[in-house]
Amino acid sequence: MSNRIRDNYDVLWGPPSSDELRRQQVERLKGMKYACLYDWVYRELGVTPQELRDAGVEKCYAIWVLSAGSTEETTERLINPIARGGGRVTLLDGNDHAVTENDTTFFFDVGSRNYRAQYLGYLLEAMDGWGYDGVVFDYWWPTMISRWITGWGRPAPPQYPDDAAWLEQAWWPFVEFVCDHVRKAGYKIVGNCAGEYGDTADYALRQRALIDADIYESFARNFDGTPLTRQRLAQRIQAFHDDPLMAWTADIGIRADMPDYEQARMLALAMYYISLPGVPGIHDELDKTIPERAFGYRGDGRIDDWLAVDVDLGKPIEAIATQVISPAGVHRWRREYEGGTALLNYEETPMEVSMDYAAYIDALGRPVPTRVIVPPMSGLILRPRRGQ
């Protein structure tokens, strides 16, 4: 397995609009370590885990949403097939209005035994015999009441007056039931935002006990594309470095229509290299004690040819990144790898770094001077030129 970022993992976000796009999607997954896909859509289009394995994918995961559905037919089938059926159990607030995330996505009352049984039955039937290695569960909402009801000024439903009631009467009976049966069926469980390492909330600790791997969604940018606070970014770096579980990054907030798109995704890549755990490298087959990591680089699912993902820095030379302390601030990091250097500047002023020699190129293959200037709120990946 290569150490290239391109070979980490990728997600098939939605149905391809043409046979050519489908071919491109399968083509881009060749050699990937992990592939995640919405089973209901891709099965109908003939994309199966076995086809992806034949293309070199090591492990395939089906994406399922725990607690939400959609009014759009294609999305219903894509994220939660219960939304199609007559046994729908929609979560209502204290005024008997449906609890929604947006105009098309609504939440289910997962405390309903009808929903719990339907959900598990649909999932196990859909995945049976298709060769999936595991499930990626999305929409973990242990704080449903405060986040989506009372936090918006609406009255809570009488059966769930607060988050504590939701947790004990709905969330835990549902999510622990589902995860227990999914694991007994032989599938690994990946939680998207199920609880990152270092989160001391009781519900986060309890959810982490249910999963085998965690996805750090909004790794480098918030969901709406706004920058993380400095404190949050530093916490993320530390958590991703220390997490004993397998962990992946994802950045749905980094989108191609952003004015600083290139800067944002290079920042995310530098963050990833700064925060990787351990020496030797993550993918060293001789050391199984280091938890695996993977970088998700297509925040909006675009198919493109970002040259930076072909970088292979090899193994880290340093166990942790060096924090570059300067009068301008401390949110600056540098980390050396066998094949190059990762730099991260999360301050408002440029960061100047002296390299040992001038024969360096950045992740896109452009030459850089001996004294490297990292712009504010940015990251750089530097590699020696060939032959140096």
Side-chain angles (χ1 to χ4, degrees), residues 3-268:
N3 288 357
R4 291 189 315 161
I5 292 296
R6 189 183 292 279
D7 301 326
N8 277 196
Y9 87 102
D10 208 349
V11 177
L12 297 184
W13 290 101
S17 57
S18 67
D19 289 342
E20 174 59 20
L21 189 56
R22 175 189 175 280
R23 185 197 65 77
Q24 291 178 18
Q25 288 183 330
V26 174
E27 183 69 23
R28 89 183 192 212
L29 291 171
K30 288 184 177 179
M32 282 280 179
K33 192 172 181 66
Y34 311 114
C36 308
L37 62 155
Y38 290 107
D39 171 75
W40 288 87
V41 167
Y42 279 89
R43 188 195 305 180
E44 291 185 6
L45 295 169
V47 179
T48 66
Q50 187 56 55
E51 179 183 3
L52 297 179
R53 283 200 181 83
D54 292 343
V57 174
E58 184 175 320
K59 294 184 183 298
C60 296
Y61 294 83
I63 303 173
W64 283 72
V65 170
L66 288 168
S67 59
S70 175
T71 57
E72 296 177 355
E73 175 63 18
T74 56
T75 309
E76 287 176 7
R77 302 168 65 195
L78 193 128
I79 67 173
N80 195 330
I82 295 177
R84 295 180 298 164
R88 179 180 301 176
V89 185
T90 305
L91 180 63
L92 304 178
D93 64 19
N95 290 329
D96 288 338
H97 296 152
V99 179
T100 61
E101 180 183 28
N102 50 46
D103 291 340
T104 61
T105 303
F106 57 88
F107 292 104
F108 286 109
D109 181 356
V110 302
S112 164
R113 289 182 178 271
N114 184 37
Y115 179 79
R116 187 194 317 173
Q118 279 191 8
Y119 185 92
L120 182 66
Y122 273 126
L123 186 152
L124 294 180
E125 180 183 2
M127 294 183 61
D128 185 41
W130 286 87
Y132 282 104
D133 297 283
V135 180
V136 174
F137 280 137
D138 200 0
Y139 277 67
W140 297 72
W141 280 116
T143 56
M144 177 71 75
I145 307 304
S146 62
R147 176 62 180 86
W148 292 110
I149 304 178
T150 59
W152 290 92
R154 295 179 290 189
Q159 72 272 35
Y160 310 126
D162 52 31
D163 285 335
W166 167 262
L167 281 168
E168 294 308 316
Q169 298 175 41
W171 187 247
W172 294 132
F174 166 69
V175 76
E176 290 180 339
F177 171 81
V178 169
C179 288
D180 179 59
H181 282 78
V182 167
R183 181 166 279 108
K184 286 178 179 177
Y187 299 112
K188 295 291 186 181
I189 298 174
V190 181
N192 186 41
C193 301
E196 67 184 47
Y197 187 69
D199 190 335
T200 58
D202 289 342
Y203 62 78
L205 297 173
R206 191 164 169 179
Q207 286 181 164
R208 280 181 60 85
L210 302 175
I211 62 177
D212 301 291
D214 193 17
I215 298 177
Y216 283 65
E217 177 61 275
S218 301
F219 180 65
R221 282 289 180 97
N222 291 313
F223 189 83
D224 62 1
T226 57
L228 303 179
T229 65
R230 289 181 178 81
Q231 180 182 10
R232 180 63 173 150
L233 180 130
Q235 289 173 341
R236 291 238 111 164
I237 289 173
Q238 192 66 53
F240 196 75
H241 179 274
D242 294 343
D243 199 329
L245 300 180
M246 180 172 74
W248 307 343
T249 77
D251 265 303
I252 196 66
I254 299 179
R255 300 180 174 91
D257 59 357
M258 296 168 50
D260 61 346
Y261 177 57
E262 296 299 333
Q263 177 181 338
R265 61 177 179 172
M266 190 61 75
L267 171 73

Side-chain angles (χ1 to χ4, degrees), residues 236-315:
R236 291 238 111 164
I237 289 173
Q238 192 66 53
F240 196 75
H241 179 274
D242 294 343
D243 199 329
L245 300 180
M246 180 172 74
W248 307 343
T249 77
D251 265 303
I252 196 66
I254 299 179
R255 300 180 174 91
D257 59 357
M258 296 168 50
D260 61 346
Y261 177 57
E262 296 299 333
Q263 177 181 338
R265 61 177 179 172
M266 190 61 75
L267 171 73
L269 181 59
M271 267 184 73
Y272 176 76
Y273 275 117
I274 291 294
S275 60
L276 285 179
V279 176
I282 298 306
H283 305 287
D284 193 332
E285 294 297 322
L286 299 178
D287 191 343
K288 300 295 185 181
T289 65
I290 298 175
E292 293 186 59
R293 297 289 186 263
F295 177 75
Y297 64 95
R298 285 187 181 89
D300 60 356
R302 274 199 341 155
I303 295 176
D304 58 15
D305 295 312
W306 191 35
L307 296 179
V309 297
D310 289 316
V311 169
D312 183 354
L313 292 188
K315 302 174 186 176

Side-chain angles (χ1 to χ4, degrees), residues 229-231 233-235 237 267 270-271 274-275 318 320-335 341-353 372-380:
T229 65
R230 289 181 178 81
Q231 180 182 10
L233 180 130
Q235 289 173 341
I237 289 173
L267 171 73
M271 267 184 73
I274 291 294
S275 60
E318 303 168 305
I320 59 174
T322 300
Q323 201 163 21
V324 181
I325 309 297
S326 72
V330 299
H331 296 94
R332 292 170 164 170
W333 292 266
R334 174 175 178 167
R335 194 171 186 196
T341 302
L343 300 170
L344 179 60
N345 176 24
Y346 213 64
E347 295 289 347
E348 296 289 347
T349 56
M351 169 182 169
E352 187 171 310
V353 179
V372 178
I373 303 297
V374 186
M377 313 298 283
S378 300
L380 283 178

